Every structure is written in C-alpha cells, then in structure tokens.
Amino acid sequence: MKKKPGLFSLILLLIMATIVPVNHAFGKEAGEITVTSNVVNVREGAGLSFPIVKKLAKGESYPIIKEEGDWFEIRIDSNETGWVANWLVERKSDSSFTKKGSGQGIITGSSVRVRTGPGTTFQTVGSLTKGTAVDIIEKNQNWTKIKTADFEGWVASDYLKTESASGSADKKDEDIKKEADTESVKTGVTLVDRLNVRSEPSKNSSTLGKLNKNTSVTVLRMENEWAEIDFQGGKGWIAESYIQMDENKVKKALVPAGDTARVTASSLHVRKTASLNAKVIGSVNKDETYTVLQTKGKMTQIQLSHSQKGWVVSWYLEKERVEEPKKKKMDIKGHKITIIHDGTILRSSASGNSGIVRQANEGETFSVIGMEGDWYSIKLKGEKKAYVAGWIVTLEGNSDQVQRQGVEKYLKDKTIVIDPGHGGRDSGTIGVGGTLEKNLTIRTAELLRDKLQAAGAKVILTRSGNTYVPLSSRVGTSHIHNADAFISLHYDSTMDQITSGITTYYYHDYQKGLASSLAHSFSSTMQVTNRGSRYGNYHVIRENKRVATLIELGYLSNPVEELTITSNEYQEGITSAIYNGLARYFK
C-alpha cells in the first residue's frame, strides 16, 4: 500500500501543536508584574522596534514567563504572551526575588539593642543577651529584622549568628556544645576614671564614650596592648594597662540547684540523660520556668512535672529574678560629654533653629551643666554657656546615649522615589579600584529604602537589580506616583584624584529646600568633605515637576575615598544622613 505523506505530516503537526501550548502554559513562571504607568505597550518581542500587540492599564497584574535584558515576557491570557519594558512596570515580590529571611538566629553580643528600624537613628525597644534565640523576618546588608516573644525589631547583623530554617535541632545542640566548650571570653575591671573607649586599637581613633573606675567589662580579645570590649551594644577598645583582668570569672553563671530558671530559646530539646546524644523526650519553650535539680558539665536537669524530669543545655537557661525597681535617672551635672563629629554646632539655646555659638570638633570634651529635653547644656570658656544635641555626642560612663526622638513621624505616609543611578548596560563611572557606580548606587538605595519604610514612608525604586532604565522613565516614575521627594543617587569622578566630598544638586527653585536640608545633614553627621548644595543641569531634576535632588555621594576617582565609600560604615552613615535630612525637610 502506498504511504500518504500528507496525512502523516498533518498528524505530526497536530501532536506538536497540542504539546507546545501545554508546556508553555504549565512552565515555571518567574513572579508577577504590576503596571505602574497609565498605559503600557505590550510588544511582540523584547525591544521598542517590535509591533504593539496590546495596551495595558495602570494597576493590572500579569505573570512573568521570563526576563531578557530590560524586558519581561508576560502571559496576557491562556493563549497570548507579549513583552513589556521593565521600567514601566513593578515586579511583585515572590520567593525568588524577596529579601525576606527565614529560620532562626542566635544573638552573639552581650547586650544587643533592638531598634524600630534598620539603623542607629531608630529608637531602642529593648536589648537581648548573648545566646538568645530569635526568629528572622528579613534582612539587608547590615541589619536583620527579628522577632522574639517580647518584641519585634532590627538588630545589627554583626551580632547575630544565623541558622538555616531546615537545620535540625540536634545540629543546633552540637553547635552549642562546641561554642560552650571553647568559651574563652574574659572579664576585667577598669582602674581609672573617664577611661576612653575608642573605635579602633589606637590613640588616634575616634572616642565612642568613657568608663568610670571599677566598671566591669567583658573582654573579647587582646591586640597590641589594647583590649576589645563589649560597649553599649557594640564593640570598643580600651588600653590594656588601665584594666585588671579576672581570668577565672565565668562569663555566664550556671543556675544553682533549687532555683527557678527561665528558658531563653524559642524551643529547646529535653533529653533523657546529661548528654547531647541522649534520647529526646520532649521540648520546652521560651519564657517557661522550671525548677533546677542539678548540673553536669554543660547540661542542667530540670523538673518538667510532678513526676517527670529531663536534661537541657545550660546555655539557654537564665535564673529567674524578681524584677528590680528602676534606678533613678543619673544626675549628669558635672559629667563630661565628648564631641564625636568634626564641625558639630554648639547653639545658644536647646533648639536646632537657635543661633550658632561656635563649632566643635571630634574629641573635644565639655562639662555638662544640665539638660533641656534632648539637649545638653554645657560650659564653655569664660563661664559662657551653649547647647548641643544629645544624639551627636557621647556621655561618659555606661549611661544610655540620647537617641534622636520622633523623626520618623515626619516621614510617615510620605511617597519617596529613590533613583539608583545607571544600571544594566550603563555602568556609570568606574573607580580606580574597579568599583562600578551602578552596583554602589543600588546598594545605597536598598539600605535607604529599608530605613524609610521602617518609618512608614511609601518607597519606590526606579530600578531593581542590574537593569537599564531611561532617564525619562525615571522622571516618569516620580510623576506617576506624585512623589513628595525624588532622590537620585550617584557617585562622582574627575581626572584629579585628590578631589573628594559630597555634592547635592537642584535645578528648580522649588527644589532648593530639599537639597539644602540634605546638605546640612551631611555637614553635621558625615566626616567627609561637604561641597554643599548647588545648581546642576541634570535631566532627572531638570525635567522633574516634583521636588527632586541629585546627590553625588563621593568620588570613586579618589583611591582613598573609594575605600571609604564602599565600606559598610560609610553606607550606614550616608543613608542615615539622607534619612535625617528628609525628616528635617518634611518637618
């Protein structure tokens, strides 16, 4: 019988037509986009030269099939797909593209402050002791948002050891055993009054605060006749010759038999015998209290019920104490404050709007006469008096430093567009050490976004990740969202490798106020050259009908400044300064 190739080909085409749509329909999708412009064109391919197949309206959402350069392929319906430019839409967060954290962590500092937002600008809501287990909610480069039974907030990531959500409890116990067995932290007592605590093991480093005589300190390590200690939730250095070491004092005392102990871990295994290899017979939870029966090595036996007892790791037990009455507020009269930034302004009264008496530099000390609100009244030469804000100085001793109060209320519900300069095929300037401006601006933008969101602001980034966005689209984002402020972030470059500093630009008169507020914030908090606010003819501020500014945050062409501005400390400082400058502007 003669074959019929036409019929065979038709059957083959039908089979392929059936298979392809199914695979396409049920393939793995890469999240979802939401249209942020009033009208967005959907094209046949990933480029402006392709024909328009459909128009989308603002607020509509569609699943992403794949991403190619600056374009998303989206599914319009079950049989239709198309391409949209990524600068006209916003990708919704999903498991693949979110910064949400998971799992648990262990606090590693002796007294780590928990704050309302990711930065030292935010208020302290409490503190956590070493060994406390926490649930991780989300994290950025420098800060982690955590949750305990008592509160929720942000802690510095340097003082948190993270553990995978999939890690077994037994594995955690082994880690605890290793840490407990290698515990070698020592304690000491200060021998002099007003002992400087410095940021680095050097007399030339900045002063973080002072300690009084006979203050007990936890010594973390020794280096070149200096001791690194726990200080105010962070770390600092003091001269070894001014402390008396106590080699035998145990850092974390065991709970005596007969006393009641409180569980500090979220969940802790109870074992049949005093061994991490023993059978697990149950678990206890955070803040539950039990009577201690005995201790063997690193394990403690507790009374679980009238007839049942078991063994837990001693590291996660804390002696239950009756709450002590609050101490009276320390009388600060006669104490010393130390200036921590060059160019700190001393004023005629306790207000940021009062007259300037003079400027002070880092390391200068003054006697405190009194306090008005969050401002210290200090004594100058010739019996003259001045005032200085409490959040930009340190007070001697272990007293809590004044935190800037209430600035977040000025940012709440404000719409702020952050524009990380360059991206994608546009790398921006390249530092002498190879730093790409486009990578640094997105890093700064994400840290700033987290701070502003924690204050209740609505924050929109003009780009996410390494994508190219035209200048007109960046301005369009400002207009579409009716931004209360538009901040374009950049890093500068010049042929002269010694030029340094921060410059804040405006184009229109209605933008001067924002630029001036930010420049003032840089001047009062950053230890780099402040070049002030000035006119600049840049597209993103020239064509912007909203209040907008463009900031050059330092010179990548200066090899010394490149090292500074790429550090975590600088990134924290600069984003905090912008945060405070915005609050000052909206105040």
Side-chain angles (χ1 to χ4, degrees):
M1 189 170 114
K2 204 171 181 180
K3 291 183 180 178
K4 298 182 178 178
L7 181 60
F8 178 77
S9 300
L10 179 61
I11 294 170
L12 183 62
L13 286 172
L14 287 172
I15 293 171
M16 289 179 66
T18 306
I19 293 173
V20 172
V22 171
N23 285 342
H24 205 181
F26 294 97
K28 184 179 179 181
E29 292 173 345
E32 192 175 85
I33 59 97
T34 299
V35 178
T36 55
S37 301
N38 289 330
V39 178
V40 171
N41 292 326
V42 183
R43 297 181 181 272
E44 284 186 1
L48 296 173
S49 60
F50 288 92
I52 297 170
V53 297
K54 191 178 180 67
K55 292 183 181 289
L56 307 180
K58 184 177 180 180
E60 294 179 349
S61 296
Y62 298 90
I64 300 169
I65 297 172
K66 66 178 179 179
E67 185 175 359
E68 186 176 300
D70 301 326
W71 293 77
F72 290 124
E73 185 181 16
I74 61 170
R75 182 172 304 288
I76 301 168
D77 56 41
S78 59
N79 296 313
E80 188 178 9
T81 66
W83 294 81
V84 294
N86 64 9
W87 61 86
L88 300 175
V89 299
E90 186 175 284
R91 174 184 246 150
K92 286 187 178 181
S93 296
D94 59 25
S95 59
S96 301
F97 301 95
T98 184
K99 61 170 186 168
K100 297 296 179 184
S102 61
Q104 288 192 318
I106 303 294
I107 297 297
T108 58
S110 62
S111 180
V112 177
R113 293 181 180 181
V114 183
R115 298 181 181 275
T116 57
T120 55
T121 302
F122 293 90
Q123 302 301 303
T124 302
V125 297
S127 63
L128 297 172
T129 57
K130 182 175 180 179
T132 303
V134 298
D135 293 320
I136 295 173
I137 301 173
E138 60 181 286
K139 60 177 72 174
N140 65 27
Q141 183 185 13
N142 299 332
W143 295 83
T144 301
K145 191 174 186 181
I146 56 93
K147 184 177 182 180
T148 70
D150 300 319
F151 40 66
E152 181 178 302
W154 294 80
V155 297
S157 299
D158 287 344
Y159 306 114
L160 181 69
K161 177 183 176 183
T162 58
E163 295 179 343
S164 169
S166 61
S168 66
D170 285 343
K171 182 66 165 58
K172 292 177 186 177
D173 285 345
E174 291 299 326
D175 290 340
I176 294 166
K177 182 180 180 182
K178 290 176 184 176
E179 289 178 12
D181 288 343
T182 58
E183 182 74 26
S184 60
V185 178
K186 301 171 184 176
T187 60
V189 177
T190 57
L191 300 175
V192 295
D193 270 329
R194 298 195 297 277
L195 176 60
N196 287 326
V197 181
R198 298 188 179 275
S199 59
E200 300 291 339
S202 167
K203 288 183 179 180
N204 298 322
S205 63
S206 59
T207 303
L208 302 177
K210 293 180 181 290
L211 295 174
N212 290 328
K213 187 176 180 180
N214 295 326
T215 300
S216 179
V217 294
T218 298
V219 179
L220 304 176
R221 63 191 174 106
M222 310 296 289
E223 182 179 310
N224 297 330
E225 298 182 348
W226 288 83
E228 187 180 33
I229 64 168
D230 276 338
F231 183 70
Q232 296 180 354
K235 296 177 182 179
W237 294 86
I238 57 177
E240 181 185 357
S241 57
Y242 294 124
I243 57 171
Q244 176 67 50
M245 299 300 298
D246 182 358
E247 302 284 349
N248 299 317
K249 187 173 180 181
V250 179
K251 186 186 174 190
K252 193 175 183 73
L254 299 173
V255 181
D259 283 4
T260 302
R262 182 177 67 88
V263 179
T264 61
S266 296
S267 180
L268 188 61
H269 280 328
V270 180
R271 298 181 181 274
K272 189 173 182 179
T273 61
S275 169
L276 289 174
N277 298 319
K279 181 182 177 181
V280 175
I281 60 174
S283 64
V284 291
N285 299 315
K286 186 177 174 68
D287 291 329
E288 294 176 352
T289 58
Y290 299 92
T291 300
V292 172
L293 302 177
Q294 60 176 311
T295 297
K296 287 184 181 180
K298 305 301 179 185
M299 304 290 288
T300 295
Q301 189 182 39
I302 58 174
Q303 189 75 50
L304 296 171
S305 65
H306 178 69
S307 59
Q308 190 179 21
K309 50 195 174 185
W311 294 84
V312 296
V313 179
S314 303
W315 194 261
Y316 283 149
L317 290 181
E318 184 179 81
K319 183 176 179 180
E320 188 179 38
R321 295 181 176 88
V322 177
E323 188 175 343
E324 297 176 359
K326 291 183 179 178
K327 294 180 181 178
K328 288 184 177 181
K329 192 173 182 180
M330 185 180 72
D331 182 9
I332 61 169
K333 189 173 182 180
H335 284 246
K336 300 277 188 182
I337 59 100
T338 301
I339 303 297
I340 58 177
H341 299 296
D342 283 339
T344 294
I345 295 173
L346 308 183
R347 297 189 178 273
S348 58
S349 64
S351 166
N353 298 318
S354 62
I356 298 174
V357 176
R358 77 173 183 86
Q359 288 187 318
N361 293 321
E362 179 190 347
E364 286 190 68
T365 60
F366 300 92
S367 294
V368 177
I369 301 171
M371 196 166 188
E372 292 184 24
D374 291 335
W375 293 70
Y376 291 116
S377 171
I378 59 175
K379 183 179 178 181
L380 304 181
K381 287 183 179 179
E383 301 300 318
K384 196 172 183 180
K385 185 170 72 170
Y387 292 84
V388 62
W391 56 86
I392 54 176
V393 300
T394 58
L395 179 68
E396 66 179 352
N398 284 323
S399 299
D400 286 340
Q401 302 301 305
V402 174
Q403 300 292 323
R404 193 168 203 163
Q405 298 289 324
V407 296
E408 60 271 12
K409 67 184 177 184
Y410 303 117
L411 295 164
K412 185 175 174 59
D413 298 326
K414 298 296 183 183
T415 299
I416 300 170
V417 173
I418 304 174
D419 175 40
H422 310 283
R425 63 178 182 266
D426 176 14
S427 63
T429 191
I430 301 176
V432 289
T435 303
L436 299 182
E437 183 183 1
K438 68 175 182 179
N439 294 340
L440 199 53
T441 57
I442 193 68
R443 175 181 168 190
T444 308
E446 288 173 348
L447 286 171
L448 177 59
R449 172 199 59 197
D450 290 347
K451 287 176 171 57
L452 293 170
Q453 285 181 339
K458 178 186 177 184
V459 183
I460 298 98
L461 267 62
T462 58
R463 71 176 173 96
S464 58
N466 184 24
T467 56
Y468 173 78
V469 179
L471 297 178
S472 58
S473 296
R474 296 170 190 256
V475 175
T477 301
S478 178
H479 295 162
I480 289 166
H481 293 282
N482 292 317
D484 294 303
F486 175 95
I487 310 289
S488 190
L489 305 176
H490 291 262
Y491 288 88
D492 220 334
S493 179
T494 181
M495 295 297 292
D496 180 2
Q497 290 193 343
I498 64 171
T499 303
S500 66
I502 304 169
T503 315
T504 312
Y505 292 98
Y506 62 87
Y507 182 85
H508 300 286
D509 285 344
Y510 59 80
Q511 298 169 343
K512 281 185 177 180
L514 175 59
S516 177
S517 292
L518 292 172
H520 185 278
S521 185
F522 297 142
S523 177
S524 61
T525 59
M526 299 301 295
Q527 298 183 47
V528 294
T529 303
N530 179 30
R531 300 162 66 87
S533 60
R534 60 183 71 177
Y535 170 86
N537 187 9
Y538 297 101
H539 182 101
V540 292
I541 53 177
R542 183 186 68 237
E543 303 302 321
N544 211 314
K545 295 180 174 59
R546 311 300 298 175
V547 175
T549 185
L550 183 146
I551 316 170
E552 296 284 1
L553 296 167
Y555 280 80
L556 289 172
S557 53
N558 182 324
V560 175
E561 189 152 282
E562 181 183 17
L563 290 174
T564 299
I565 64 184
T566 54
S567 68
N568 284 345
E569 292 76 14
Y570 186 89
Q571 291 295 307
E572 270 301 305
I574 202 70
T575 50
S576 293
I578 297 172
Y579 173 92
N580 286 326
L582 281 166
R584 177 189 290 272
Y585 171 73
F586 289 123
K587 185 175 179 181

